[in-house]
Amino acid sequence: MAIRNGSAAQAGSRGRRLSNSRVMEVLSRVGLCARGVIYVLVGALAVQMGFGGDSGKEADRSGAVRTIGEQPFGRALLWALVVGLAAMALWRLSEAAFGQAVTGGDKWTRRLGSAGLAVFYAVICIGVVQTALVGGSAGGRPGDETSKDYTARVLTWPFGRVLVGVVGAVLVIVGVVIVVRSLMRKFEQNLRTDEMSPTTRRVVAGLGIVGGVATGVVAAVAGLFVVLAAVRFDPGEAKGMDETLRSFAATPAGPVLLIAAAVGLLLFGLYSFCEARWRKAPEHGTSAEEPTEAPGSKTRPSAP
């Protein structure tokens, strides 16, 4: 038994060293850049939609992928995006397995969140791979159709209605948490703010706040539509990002609210590039429970 426990401890120690290695640091930065590309394109498509210039592309990840595929050397760009998304998925998977390299990063809630993000980015990566294989501009299935199909399928399961409602409620809660944490600037804990000039720090903070709030609001509203689909037992009520954004234009604020949300998503994409540049990395070989900080850096509560 002692030998078995010792082997498990050694395996866990090796896993933590891998999680905090330079390889994972590179993967995290590459993955954040890929996230930035997607959100910048989604935001740009949504802004165009808000001003009445409907390009025929969905303002979601499938629309962003189609836009990339239509560029010169589009297929090569898509494969580059695949690499970035795979890096993001692997990074989050390592966090789920061995904990995040921040104070309290070993908590089960953080591991569960990282596991969910790993699955999320793996699914997107697979979709981009399929698009790159069939043709750069072919694009994937619109997110709205996918959301409705999945919702319809789950509603036929035993207790499917309850499950759909729970998923929607979780999305709402996650969206609200993202908004609150963004307003409290908790994302700054993961940044090397001591290396920024005062002006740069204000710009990055603004991108993180506005972008995070927009992302959280869109997630919460999408969750509300999923809850509505469960209450009405109608998968047609579920909406992907594109239809969620379009629903903003149906409010009394009209296209103004849609454009505001679109700009926020675009700014979140720009913040992703900043995070890739200034994200803190633990000293290689240290454990997640003992993160290191750059001298003189200011510590805030853990970032989302």
Side-chain angles (χ1 to χ4, degrees), residues 16 20 99-106 110 189-190 279-295 297 299-300 302:
R16 282 188 291 272
N20 297 332
Q100 300 179 12
V102 296
T103 303
D106 201 40
R110 284 187 174 274
Q189 184 212 355
N190 281 349
R279 183 177 179 84
K280 288 181 181 178
E283 290 185 0
H284 303 299
T286 60
S287 66
E289 290 81 3
E290 297 178 352
T292 58
E293 296 179 3
S297 63
T299 301
R300 292 180 177 269
S302 57

Side-chain angles (χ1 to χ4, degrees), residues 75-301:
R75 184 168 292 190
L77 294 174
L78 286 178
W79 283 116
L81 184 60
V82 166
V83 172
L85 292 171
M88 192 72 163
L90 288 173
W91 170 42
R92 293 302 189 183
L93 182 61
S94 74
E95 289 186 335
F98 307 110
Q100 300 179 12
V102 296
T103 303
D106 201 40
K107 294 180 179 178
W108 71 270
T109 51
R110 284 187 174 274
R111 289 194 178 204
L112 184 61
S114 294
L117 288 172
V119 173
F120 175 74
Y121 284 107
V123 170
I124 298 176
C125 182
I126 292 172
V128 179
V129 168
Q130 293 173 339
T131 300
L133 289 174
V134 300
S137 62
R141 295 188 62 203
D144 299 313
E145 291 183 12
T146 303
S147 298
K148 289 178 172 59
D149 288 348
Y150 284 156
T151 303
R153 190 176 306 171
V154 174
L155 283 175
T156 63
W157 296 355
F159 303 104
R161 194 171 184 177
V162 174
L163 181 58
V164 170
V166 169
V167 170
V170 169
L171 274 175
V172 173
I173 294 172
V174 168
V176 172
V177 169
I178 291 174
V179 170
V180 173
R181 293 169 73 89
S182 298
L183 291 173
M184 295 176 67
R185 297 172 63 165
K186 291 191 174 184
F187 55 85
E188 285 189 320
Q189 184 212 355
N190 281 349
L191 302 178
R192 301 192 304 273
T193 54
D194 58 301
E195 298 181 5
M196 303 178 188
S197 67
T199 300
T200 300
R201 184 170 181 176
R202 285 194 294 270
V203 171
V204 173
L207 293 175
I209 293 170
V210 178
V213 168
T215 303
V217 169
V218 172
V221 174
L224 287 174
F225 283 124
V226 175
V227 171
L228 189 61
V231 171
R232 296 183 176 178
F233 203 69
D234 180 8
E237 296 289 351
K239 302 182 187 299
M241 182 178 288
D242 178 72
E243 285 192 357
T244 298
L245 289 170
R246 291 178 189 274
S247 70
F248 291 167
T251 64
V256 174
L257 186 58
L258 167 58
I259 294 171
V263 171
L265 294 176
L266 192 154
L267 294 181
F268 183 73
L270 296 179
Y271 167 76
S272 297
F273 295 125
C274 295
E275 186 177 353
R277 166 64 176 83
W278 282 291
R279 183 177 179 84
K280 288 181 181 178
E283 290 185 0
H284 303 299
T286 60
S287 66
E289 290 81 3
E290 297 178 352
T292 58
E293 296 179 3
S297 63
K298 295 183 179 181
T299 301
R300 292 180 177 269

